[in-house]
Amino acid sequence: ELLLVEREMAKAGLGRADDETTLAWIARVRSNLPDTNALARIVELHYRYRFDPLGLPAAERAQLREFAMQWLARWSRS
């Protein structure tokens, strides 16, 4: 889901540099974003999904999906 967000932002010229962490990227483009708190939550869930050995419980996995889709809907209206 985070990759969908990244793709849409890149189309708007706000892509993440190859050597840039996700959190540094968000901080850099913060003023151009509709909801940085929601995006930070998406990033946190994404990191746990990808890198936590325990992964995400199904409810949080669904939450990641839902948060990303809601954020993308707000992004497309902005």
Side-chain angles (χ1 to χ4, degrees), residues 16-46:
R16 184 167 65 98
D18 291 337
D19 63 343
E20 191 171 34
T21 68
T22 305
L23 294 177
W25 165 59
I26 291 170
R28 178 175 56 83
V29 299
R30 171 175 225 102
S31 64
N32 298 298
L33 302 177
D35 187 347
T36 55
N37 291 332
L39 188 55
R41 180 70 176 139
I42 292 166
V43 169
E44 186 247 326
L45 288 169
H46 171 80

